[in-house]
Amino acid sequence: MIKRDNVVTFMGNPLTLVGPEITPGMAAPDFSVVDNDLGPVSLAALKGKVAIISAVPSLDTPVCDMETRRFNQEAQALGDKVKVLTVSMDLPFAQKRWCGNAGVANVQTVSDYQAASFGQAYGVLIDGLRLLARAIFVVDAAGKVAYVQVVPEVTHEPDYAAVLDAVKKLL
């Protein structure tokens, strides 16, 4: 099991991430998560579309809430050639409740709670906390990683402009 130290912090305190470092140009690793109705979701669900995969610690926190709402707005503007997933360790039932309350319909929330498959494959599982670090992965329509942003401080929002620029270059 690969462990990487000092990649991200939480309120200034360093955390250890489990899994490999994902870099642009790599084939996007497969994963197995569940949707809000406990149905399986894997990398195959993104095939043929440009994908924004947003990993967040929990939708029930202010920054994750803001980030997912922002990507929900952006997804509407990007159209049907782009798929946006938000992955967290939140239970699928909590994700479904959150989406309903927040009016989020353009982002698919998926849960990694069962096996931490996504977190380990993408190197964003926080050791000891069993939460995901805040990170964005843009995957092209052929399944290749085009852009990666691991947010250095978990309590900060990502650089949305950089993510959107990476997506628009692929459309």
Side-chain angles (χ1 to χ4, degrees), residues 81-97:
K81 292 182 182 177
V82 178
K83 175 89 172 170
V84 183
L85 283 184
T86 293
V87 186
S88 74
M89 288 295 205
D90 295 313
L91 292 176
F93 319 110
Q95 291 179 338
K96 189 173 189 174
R97 173 194 45 78

Side-chain angles (χ1 to χ4, degrees), residues 10 15-16 89 125-132:
F10 176 70
L15 299 171
T16 298
M89 288 295 205
L125 179 64
I126 300 171
D127 193 36
L129 295 179
R130 198 167 166 80
L131 294 172
L132 302 179

